[in-house]
Amino acid sequence: MPAKLPKPTGLRPRVRPSRGTAGREPRCALPARLRRPRLLVVGCGDVGLRVLRTLSDRLPLRLHAIAVARTSESCERARALGAHALVVDLDDRRAVRRLGALARWVVHLAPPPPRGVDDPRVGALIAAARPALHRARARRSTPARWVLAGTTGVYGDAGGARFDETRPIAPATDRARRRAAAEFRLRSLARCGLAQASILRVPGLYAHDRWPLDRLRRGDPVLQRDEDVYTNHLHADDLARIVWLALFRGRPGRVVHATDDAPMRLGDWLDRIALAFGLAKPPRASRARIAAGRAAALPQVLGESRRLDNLRLRSELRYRLRWPTIDAALAAMQQRSGKAL
């Protein structure tokens, strides 16, 4: 059975009853709507909506969730799940300033800007939150909790080596450098003692409604077996539960590999999906041949090979993956559709 999500504790404001009011509701008690803990989900796209769906039994009576998205369609989906939703342009610092004091639990799922080597979106959100975080520290309140969903791409190419979170990062692309910059910004916030921050390094995602079928139907080639790269993956619903757990079980400033138990060569991973859906396996070709057939550079996934250890996920976050391997996910899908393996 998958890990049971923890109940939030120690987050209701403590109000001391005045003399002679023992056993009665104190006069200064906050209304119920203000006693609910508040969660801010920044970048509420596919994964953010899955987080809200995971928390559906808490919304809206026990948890006040605020979803920040870039489209009205995503906001409507978030509202349907019981969250309050805001359309915000994360590149507009004035708009982001509105978010600074909305919640003390923050999940940042938004991607960085498409250009540059920094992530000013994370920087703007931190700057907006600093005044409220300083006030909370002055009151000696419970530290705010932040979770950043980053990427395993910050490691660059590891030549297929297996490693844990202590490996130094070596981002090889601007996109990975932007993600590394976001991690640095959040760690700086944690070092100041203003928030308890956890960083999840996330690999390629898939889900029962999110398979790479278009790629398989196009017949995009993958590297021949002796050149193929190791890749890591995770079911998006597992990530949604991991994000919630990291808010409460993540150690301050800690990095956790949010990945499944079975790193695989990319071609083998795609072969399994093709077989399950009755599609042709992707053709194999040499790296030189694939590069010669492309006008642009090779995709990053074909140039970086690594195998990630997820011991911290299992031991520190104490999460038991619902889909520990791609085979488990495909078996569950086929069972749902009534097909025999």
Side-chain angles (χ1 to χ4, degrees):
M1 294 293 292
K4 187 176 181 180
L5 297 181
K7 296 180 180 179
T9 58
L11 294 155
R12 188 171 288 185
R14 298 179 67 182
V15 181
R16 294 183 178 180
S18 58
R19 264 188 182 176
T21 61
R24 295 187 310 207
E25 182 72 15
R27 291 181 181 179
C28 55
L30 294 172
R33 65 184 179 84
L34 296 180
R35 292 200 303 266
R36 288 177 298 167
R38 286 185 287 175
L39 169 69
L40 181 66
V41 182
V42 181
C44 194
D46 178 70
V47 173
L49 292 171
R50 292 174 193 270
V51 171
L52 296 179
R53 204 169 293 120
T54 297
L55 302 174
S56 59
D57 62 335
R58 295 174 169 87
L59 300 175
L61 297 179
R62 294 161 54 197
L63 176 66
H64 184 189
I66 305 166
V68 175
R70 64 179 179 177
T71 66
S72 57
E73 291 79 10
S74 292
C75 285
E76 287 302 320
R77 295 189 187 101
R79 293 187 187 106
L81 294 170
H84 184 72
L86 302 170
V87 176
V88 177
D89 179 0
L90 295 179
D91 295 320
D92 183 348
R93 296 184 75 90
R94 293 181 62 184
V96 173
R97 202 173 299 148
R98 301 161 48 200
L99 309 177
L102 289 182
R104 291 176 53 74
W105 298 352
V106 179
V107 171
H108 198 286
L109 304 172
R115 291 174 295 278
V117 294
D118 195 5
D119 189 345
R121 293 175 178 173
V122 171
L125 183 63
I126 291 174
R130 276 187 183 277
L133 296 176
H134 278 291
R135 291 193 296 269
R137 185 170 64 176
R139 295 193 304 266
R140 298 183 179 180
S141 300
T142 304
R145 303 171 187 266
W146 287 49
V147 171
L148 172 70
T151 176
T152 58
V154 296
Y155 291 115
D157 181 29
R162 187 179 185 91
F163 55 87
D164 63 15
E165 293 87 347
T166 61
R167 182 185 178 94
I169 64 173
T173 65
D174 284 349
R175 178 179 179 275
R177 294 183 187 100
R178 291 191 289 269
R179 292 303 186 105
E183 290 187 9
F184 178 80
R185 286 180 178 274
L186 193 61
R187 281 180 158 174
S188 298
L189 183 70
R191 282 195 296 269
C192 295
L194 295 177
Q196 178 174 307
S198 297
I199 296 168
L200 302 174
R201 288 182 181 155
V202 183
L205 295 177
Y206 68 94
H208 287 91
D209 56 354
R210 187 173 168 171
W211 301 103
L213 301 183
D214 288 342
R215 172 178 181 160
L216 291 170
R217 292 185 179 113
R218 287 195 308 266
D220 293 350
V222 295
L223 293 168
Q224 59 193 22
R225 199 167 298 276
D226 61 333
E227 292 183 300
D228 204 0
V229 295
Y230 281 102
T231 56
N232 306 264
H233 297 89
L234 181 70
H235 196 290
D237 287 339
D238 270 325
L239 177 58
R241 300 171 71 87
I242 292 167
V243 164
W244 177 249
L245 286 175
L247 276 171
F248 308 103
R249 297 180 182 173
R251 298 183 183 180
R254 195 74 149 172
V255 172
V256 174
H257 288 161
T259 185
D260 68 18
D261 293 341
M264 297 177 64
R265 294 193 182 274
L266 177 60
D268 295 338
W269 190 80
L270 291 170
D271 283 352
R272 280 169 161 77
I273 297 172
L275 181 63
F277 282 90
L279 299 172
K281 294 181 179 180
R284 304 272 183 157
S286 68
R287 185 180 300 273
R289 183 175 177 183
I290 294 177
R294 293 180 58 88
L298 279 176
Q300 183 180 358
V301 70
L302 297 182
E304 297 181 355
S305 181
R306 49 188 172 259
R307 290 177 288 173
L308 304 179
D309 184 279
N310 66 359
L311 178 61
R312 286 185 184 176
L313 175 67
R314 292 178 280 118
S315 62
E316 295 183 7
L317 298 191
R318 304 191 301 281
Y319 183 66
R320 183 177 178 182
L321 289 160
R322 187 172 182 183
W323 292 282
T325 66
I326 185 66
D327 293 329
L330 290 170
M333 179 201 69
Q334 293 183 331
Q335 186 175 13
R336 286 180 184 180
S337 62
K339 295 179 181 179
L341 289 175

PDB file of all heavy atoms in Angstrom, residues 13 38 41 45 73 75 97 136-138 147 155 188 194 218 223 230 254-255 257 281 284 297 321 331:
ATOM      1  N   PRO A  13      -3.147  28.339  15.528  1.00  0.00           N
ATOM      2  CA  PRO A  13      -2.680  29.365  16.459  1.00  0.00           C
ATOM      3  C   PRO A  13      -3.029  29.019  17.894  1.00  0.00           C
ATOM      4  O   PRO A  13      -4.136  28.576  18.192  1.00  0.00           O
ATOM      5  CB  PRO A  13      -3.431  30.624  15.989  1.00  0.00           C
ATOM      6  CG  PRO A  13      -3.821  30.337  14.588  1.00  0.00           C
ATOM      7  CD  PRO A  13      -4.031  28.866  14.500  1.00  0.00           C
ATOM      8  N   ARG A  38      -2.706  27.298   5.384  1.00  0.00           N
ATOM      9  CA  ARG A  38      -2.811  27.743   4.000  1.00  0.00           C
ATOM     10  C   ARG A  38      -1.621  27.252   3.192  1.00  0.00           C
ATOM     11  O   ARG A  38      -0.474  27.365   3.618  1.00  0.00           O
ATOM     12  CB  ARG A  38      -2.911  29.270   3.936  1.00  0.00           C
ATOM     13  CG  ARG A  38      -4.271  29.785   4.365  1.00  0.00           C
ATOM     14  CD  ARG A  38      -4.391  31.281   4.193  1.00  0.00           C
ATOM     15  NE  ARG A  38      -3.617  31.995   5.194  1.00  0.00           N
ATOM     16  CZ  ARG A  38      -3.482  33.311   5.212  1.00  0.00           C
ATOM     17  NH1 ARG A  38      -4.042  34.052   4.271  1.00  0.00           N
ATOM     18  NH2 ARG A  38      -2.788  33.895   6.157  1.00  0.00           N
ATOM     19  N   VAL A  41       0.319  26.934  -3.986  1.00  0.00           N
ATOM     20  CA  VAL A  41       0.870  26.097  -5.052  1.00  0.00           C
ATOM     21  C   VAL A  41       1.185  27.007  -6.230  1.00  0.00           C
ATOM     22  O   VAL A  41       0.279  27.471  -6.936  1.00  0.00           O
ATOM     23  CB  VAL A  41      -0.105  24.986  -5.462  1.00  0.00           C
ATOM     24  CG1 VAL A  41       0.521  24.106  -6.553  1.00  0.00           C
ATOM     25  CG2 VAL A  41      -0.493  24.131  -4.262  1.00  0.00           C
ATOM     26  N   GLY A  45       0.054  23.624 -12.748  1.00  0.00           N
ATOM     27  CA  GLY A  45      -0.260  22.942 -13.996  1.00  0.00           C
ATOM     28  C   GLY A  45      -0.657  21.510 -13.715  1.00  0.00           C
ATOM     29  O   GLY A  45      -1.376  21.219 -12.754  1.00  0.00           O
ATOM     30  N   GLU A  73      -7.938  28.436 -17.558  1.00  0.00           N
ATOM     31  CA  GLU A  73      -8.396  27.043 -17.599  1.00  0.00           C
ATOM     32  C   GLU A  73      -7.846  26.254 -16.408  1.00  0.00           C
ATOM     33  O   GLU A  73      -8.585  25.497 -15.763  1.00  0.00           O
ATOM     34  CB  GLU A  73      -7.967  26.379 -18.909  1.00  0.00           C
ATOM     35  CG  GLU A  73      -8.673  26.897 -20.146  1.00  0.00           C
ATOM     36  CD  GLU A  73      -8.121  28.223 -20.645  1.00  0.00           C
ATOM     37  OE1 GLU A  73      -7.057  28.645 -20.143  1.00  0.00           O
ATOM     38  OE2 GLU A  73      -8.750  28.830 -21.526  1.00  0.00           O
ATOM     39  N   CYS A  75      -6.908  27.507 -13.600  1.00  0.00           N
ATOM     40  CA  CYS A  75      -7.556  28.048 -12.400  1.00  0.00           C
ATOM     41  C   CYS A  75      -8.937  27.429 -12.210  1.00  0.00           C
ATOM     42  O   CYS A  75      -9.334  27.109 -11.081  1.00  0.00           O
ATOM     43  CB  CYS A  75      -7.648  29.559 -12.483  1.00  0.00           C
ATOM     44  SG  CYS A  75      -6.073  30.408 -12.187  1.00  0.00           S
ATOM     45  N   ARG A  97       4.268  40.165  -6.134  1.00  0.00           N
ATOM     46  CA  ARG A  97       4.297  40.770  -4.801  1.00  0.00           C
ATOM     47  C   ARG A  97       3.020  40.466  -4.017  1.00  0.00           C
ATOM     48  O   ARG A  97       3.036  40.408  -2.785  1.00  0.00           O
ATOM     49  CB  ARG A  97       4.498  42.274  -4.938  1.00  0.00           C
ATOM     50  CG  ARG A  97       5.075  42.945  -3.697  1.00  0.00           C
ATOM     51  CD  ARG A  97       5.399  44.401  -3.991  1.00  0.00           C
ATOM     52  NE  ARG A  97       6.393  44.492  -5.062  1.00  0.00           N
ATOM     53  CZ  ARG A  97       6.454  45.488  -5.938  1.00  0.00           C
ATOM     54  NH1 ARG A  97       5.562  46.468  -5.882  1.00  0.00           N
ATOM     55  NH2 ARG A  97       7.388  45.516  -6.860  1.00  0.00           N
ATOM     56  N   ALA A 136       7.332  36.805  11.014  1.00  0.00           N
ATOM     57  CA  ALA A 136       7.056  35.538  11.673  1.00  0.00           C
ATOM     58  C   ALA A 136       8.225  35.109  12.553  1.00  0.00           C
ATOM     59  O   ALA A 136       8.034  34.595  13.660  1.00  0.00           O
ATOM     60  CB  ALA A 136       6.758  34.467  10.625  1.00  0.00           C
ATOM     61  N   ARG A 137       9.443  35.322  12.077  1.00  0.00           N
ATOM     62  CA  ARG A 137      10.607  34.959  12.889  1.00  0.00           C
ATOM     63  C   ARG A 137      10.686  35.828  14.139  1.00  0.00           C
ATOM     64  O   ARG A 137      11.027  35.343  15.227  1.00  0.00           O
ATOM     65  CB  ARG A 137      11.887  35.079  12.081  1.00  0.00           C
ATOM     66  CG  ARG A 137      13.118  34.593  12.849  1.00  0.00           C
ATOM     67  CD  ARG A 137      14.340  34.495  11.976  1.00  0.00           C
ATOM     68  NE  ARG A 137      14.769  35.793  11.461  1.00  0.00           N
ATOM     69  CZ  ARG A 137      15.865  35.976  10.721  1.00  0.00           C
ATOM     70  NH1 ARG A 137      16.620  34.928  10.402  1.00  0.00           N
ATOM     71  NH2 ARG A 137      16.190  37.170  10.281  1.00  0.00           N
ATOM     72  N   ALA A 138      10.336  37.108  14.012  1.00  0.00           N
ATOM     73  CA  ALA A 138      10.334  37.988  15.177  1.00  0.00           C
ATOM     74  C   ALA A 138       9.322  37.529  16.218  1.00  0.00           C
ATOM     75  O   ALA A 138       9.545  37.689  17.426  1.00  0.00           O
ATOM     76  CB  ALA A 138      10.044  39.424  14.745  1.00  0.00           C
ATOM     77  N   VAL A 147       8.814  23.958  -0.571  1.00  0.00           N
ATOM     78  CA  VAL A 147       9.295  22.835  -1.369  1.00  0.00           C
ATOM     79  C   VAL A 147       9.474  23.312  -2.799  1.00  0.00           C
ATOM     80  O   VAL A 147       8.572  23.955  -3.364  1.00  0.00           O
ATOM     81  CB  VAL A 147       8.324  21.635  -1.333  1.00  0.00           C
ATOM     82  CG1 VAL A 147       8.744  20.565  -2.339  1.00  0.00           C
ATOM     83  CG2 VAL A 147       8.265  21.029   0.063  1.00  0.00           C
ATOM     84  N   TYR A 155      22.708  17.680 -12.750  1.00  0.00           N
ATOM     85  CA  TYR A 155      23.916  16.854 -12.640  1.00  0.00           C
ATOM     86  C   TYR A 155      24.700  16.792 -13.944  1.00  0.00           C
ATOM     87  O   TYR A 155      25.883  16.432 -13.932  1.00  0.00           O
ATOM     88  CB  TYR A 155      23.549  15.427 -12.215  1.00  0.00           C
ATOM     89  CG  TYR A 155      23.040  15.312 -10.801  1.00  0.00           C
ATOM     90  CD1 TYR A 155      21.735  14.911 -10.541  1.00  0.00           C
ATOM     91  CD2 TYR A 155      23.866  15.588  -9.716  1.00  0.00           C
ATOM     92  CE1 TYR A 155      21.263  14.791  -9.242  1.00  0.00           C
ATOM     93  CE2 TYR A 155      23.407  15.466  -8.414  1.00  0.00           C
ATOM     94  CZ  TYR A 155      22.099  15.070  -8.190  1.00  0.00           C
ATOM     95  OH  TYR A 155      21.632  14.954  -6.901  1.00  0.00           O
ATOM     96  N   SER A 188      19.511  29.738   0.063  1.00  0.00           N
ATOM     97  CA  SER A 188      19.881  30.981   0.729  1.00  0.00           C
ATOM     98  C   SER A 188      18.794  31.420   1.702  1.00  0.00           C
ATOM     99  O   SER A 188      19.083  31.899   2.801  1.00  0.00           O
ATOM    100  CB  SER A 188      20.138  32.084  -0.309  1.00  0.00           C
ATOM    101  OG  SER A 188      21.215  31.750  -1.157  1.00  0.00           O
ATOM    102  N   LEU A 194      14.801  31.723   7.610  1.00  0.00           N
ATOM    103  CA  LEU A 194      13.466  32.256   7.361  1.00  0.00           C
ATOM    104  C   LEU A 194      12.467  31.185   6.947  1.00  0.00           C
ATOM    105  O   LEU A 194      11.262  31.422   6.988  1.00  0.00           O
ATOM    106  CB  LEU A 194      13.523  33.347   6.289  1.00  0.00           C
ATOM    107  CG  LEU A 194      14.298  34.605   6.664  1.00  0.00           C
ATOM    108  CD1 LEU A 194      14.339  35.575   5.496  1.00  0.00           C
ATOM    109  CD2 LEU A 194      13.685  35.274   7.888  1.00  0.00           C
ATOM    110  N   ARG A 218       5.466   8.621 -34.077  1.00  0.00           N
ATOM    111  CA  ARG A 218       6.321   9.282 -35.070  1.00  0.00           C
ATOM    112  C   ARG A 218       7.496   8.404 -35.479  1.00  0.00           C
ATOM    113  O   ARG A 218       8.099   8.605 -36.537  1.00  0.00           O
ATOM    114  CB  ARG A 218       6.870  10.596 -34.509  1.00  0.00           C
ATOM    115  CG  ARG A 218       5.866  11.719 -34.394  1.00  0.00           C
ATOM    116  CD  ARG A 218       6.580  13.054 -34.193  1.00  0.00           C
ATOM    117  NE  ARG A 218       7.528  13.012 -33.091  1.00  0.00           N
ATOM    118  CZ  ARG A 218       7.251  13.375 -31.838  1.00  0.00           C
ATOM    119  NH1 ARG A 218       6.035  13.791 -31.539  1.00  0.00           N
ATOM    120  NH2 ARG A 218       8.184  13.335 -30.901  1.00  0.00           N
ATOM    121  N   LEU A 223      18.982   5.673 -29.340  1.00  0.00           N
ATOM    122  CA  LEU A 223      20.355   5.213 -29.530  1.00  0.00           C
ATOM    123  C   LEU A 223      20.442   3.700 -29.543  1.00  0.00           C
ATOM    124  O   LEU A 223      19.704   3.007 -28.830  1.00  0.00           O
ATOM    125  CB  LEU A 223      21.236   5.771 -28.415  1.00  0.00           C
ATOM    126  CG  LEU A 223      21.437   7.294 -28.426  1.00  0.00           C
ATOM    127  CD1 LEU A 223      22.071   7.754 -27.126  1.00  0.00           C
ATOM    128  CD2 LEU A 223      22.290   7.710 -29.623  1.00  0.00           C
ATOM    129  N   TYR A 230      21.261   5.812 -19.720  1.00  0.00           N
ATOM    130  CA  TYR A 230      20.387   5.496 -18.598  1.00  0.00           C
ATOM    131  C   TYR A 230      19.543   6.726 -18.262  1.00  0.00           C
ATOM    132  O   TYR A 230      20.045   7.845 -18.174  1.00  0.00           O
ATOM    133  CB  TYR A 230      21.200   5.094 -17.372  1.00  0.00           C
ATOM    134  CG  TYR A 230      21.694   3.670 -17.420  1.00  0.00           C
ATOM    135  CD1 TYR A 230      23.021   3.390 -17.760  1.00  0.00           C
ATOM    136  CD2 TYR A 230      20.844   2.611 -17.124  1.00  0.00           C
ATOM    137  CE1 TYR A 230      23.476   2.085 -17.801  1.00  0.00           C
ATOM    138  CE2 TYR A 230      21.299   1.302 -17.159  1.00  0.00           C
ATOM    139  CZ  TYR A 230      22.616   1.040 -17.505  1.00  0.00           C
ATOM    140  OH  TYR A 230      23.065  -0.253 -17.542  1.00  0.00           O
ATOM    141  N   ARG A 254      17.568  20.174   2.532  1.00  0.00           N
ATOM    142  CA  ARG A 254      17.931  18.851   2.040  1.00  0.00           C
ATOM    143  C   ARG A 254      17.466  18.651   0.600  1.00  0.00           C
ATOM    144  O   ARG A 254      16.389  19.100   0.199  1.00  0.00           O
ATOM    145  CB  ARG A 254      17.280  17.799   2.923  1.00  0.00           C
ATOM    146  CG  ARG A 254      17.820  16.399   2.779  1.00  0.00           C
ATOM    147  CD  ARG A 254      19.165  16.265   3.415  1.00  0.00           C
ATOM    148  NE  ARG A 254      19.370  14.911   3.934  1.00  0.00           N
ATOM    149  CZ  ARG A 254      20.516  14.487   4.403  1.00  0.00           C
ATOM    150  NH1 ARG A 254      21.567  15.291   4.407  1.00  0.00           N
ATOM    151  NH2 ARG A 254      20.638  13.264   4.874  1.00  0.00           N
ATOM    152  N   VAL A 255      18.281  17.956  -0.169  1.00  0.00           N
ATOM    153  CA  VAL A 255      17.929  17.544  -1.524  1.00  0.00           C
ATOM    154  C   VAL A 255      17.486  16.089  -1.490  1.00  0.00           C
ATOM    155  O   VAL A 255      18.096  15.257  -0.802  1.00  0.00           O
ATOM    156  CB  VAL A 255      19.118  17.709  -2.487  1.00  0.00           C
ATOM    157  CG1 VAL A 255      18.801  17.106  -3.851  1.00  0.00           C
ATOM    158  CG2 VAL A 255      19.482  19.177  -2.639  1.00  0.00           C
ATOM    159  N   HIS A 257      16.152  12.896  -4.181  1.00  0.00           N
ATOM    160  CA  HIS A 257      15.844  12.384  -5.521  1.00  0.00           C
ATOM    161  C   HIS A 257      14.419  11.836  -5.524  1.00  0.00           C
ATOM    162  O   HIS A 257      14.130  10.820  -4.895  1.00  0.00           O
ATOM    163  CB  HIS A 257      16.813  11.268  -5.915  1.00  0.00           C
ATOM    164  CG  HIS A 257      18.192  11.754  -6.218  1.00  0.00           C
ATOM    165  ND1 HIS A 257      19.287  10.927  -6.213  1.00  0.00           N
ATOM    166  CD2 HIS A 257      18.661  12.993  -6.541  1.00  0.00           C
ATOM    167  CE1 HIS A 257      20.365  11.631  -6.516  1.00  0.00           C
ATOM    168  NE2 HIS A 257      20.013  12.880  -6.723  1.00  0.00           N
ATOM    169  N   LYS A 281       8.173  -0.777 -31.767  1.00  0.00           N
ATOM    170  CA  LYS A 281       9.278  -0.284 -30.949  1.00  0.00           C
ATOM    171  C   LYS A 281      10.030   0.794 -31.719  1.00  0.00           C
ATOM    172  O   LYS A 281      10.123   0.752 -32.949  1.00  0.00           O
ATOM    173  CB  LYS A 281      10.229  -1.433 -30.600  1.00  0.00           C
ATOM    174  CG  LYS A 281       9.619  -2.499 -29.693  1.00  0.00           C
ATOM    175  CD  LYS A 281      10.638  -3.590 -29.390  1.00  0.00           C
ATOM    176  CE  LYS A 281      10.052  -4.650 -28.479  1.00  0.00           C
ATOM    177  NZ  LYS A 281      11.054  -5.719 -28.177  1.00  0.00           N
ATOM    178  N   ARG A 284      16.376   1.814 -33.674  1.00  0.00           N
ATOM    179  CA  ARG A 284      17.673   2.111 -33.048  1.00  0.00           C
ATOM    180  C   ARG A 284      18.627   2.649 -34.110  1.00  0.00           C
ATOM    181  O   ARG A 284      18.620   2.227 -35.268  1.00  0.00           O
ATOM    182  CB  ARG A 284      18.264   0.844 -32.438  1.00  0.00           C
ATOM    183  CG  ARG A 284      17.351   0.151 -31.420  1.00  0.00           C
ATOM    184  CD  ARG A 284      17.565   0.694 -30.047  1.00  0.00           C
ATOM    185  NE  ARG A 284      16.759   0.004 -29.038  1.00  0.00           N
ATOM    186  CZ  ARG A 284      17.055  -0.023 -27.754  1.00  0.00           C
ATOM    187  NH1 ARG A 284      18.142   0.589 -27.312  1.00  0.00           N
ATOM    188  NH2 ARG A 284      16.266  -0.646 -26.892  1.00  0.00           N
ATOM    189  N   ALA A 297      20.310  20.570 -32.362  1.00  0.00           N
ATOM    190  CA  ALA A 297      21.167  19.722 -31.537  1.00  0.00           C
ATOM    191  C   ALA A 297      20.382  18.527 -31.022  1.00  0.00           C
ATOM    192  O   ALA A 297      19.148  18.531 -30.973  1.00  0.00           O
ATOM    193  CB  ALA A 297      21.720  20.536 -30.372  1.00  0.00           C
ATOM    194  N   LEU A 321       6.692   4.060  -2.871  1.00  0.00           N
ATOM    195  CA  LEU A 321       6.185   4.383  -4.206  1.00  0.00           C
ATOM    196  C   LEU A 321       4.974   3.526  -4.557  1.00  0.00           C
ATOM    197  O   LEU A 321       4.968   2.315  -4.345  1.00  0.00           O
ATOM    198  CB  LEU A 321       7.284   4.171  -5.247  1.00  0.00           C
ATOM    199  CG  LEU A 321       8.433   5.186  -5.216  1.00  0.00           C
ATOM    200  CD1 LEU A 321       9.656   4.613  -5.925  1.00  0.00           C
ATOM    201  CD2 LEU A 321       8.010   6.508  -5.854  1.00  0.00           C
ATOM    202  N   ALA A 331       1.270  -2.553 -15.708  1.00  0.00           N
ATOM    203  CA  ALA A 331       0.397  -3.633 -15.248  1.00  0.00           C
ATOM    204  C   ALA A 331      -0.891  -3.071 -14.655  1.00  0.00           C
ATOM    205  O   ALA A 331      -1.989  -3.605 -14.898  1.00  0.00           O
ATOM    206  CB  ALA A 331       1.132  -4.485 -14.216  1.00  0.00           C
TER     207      ALA A 331
END
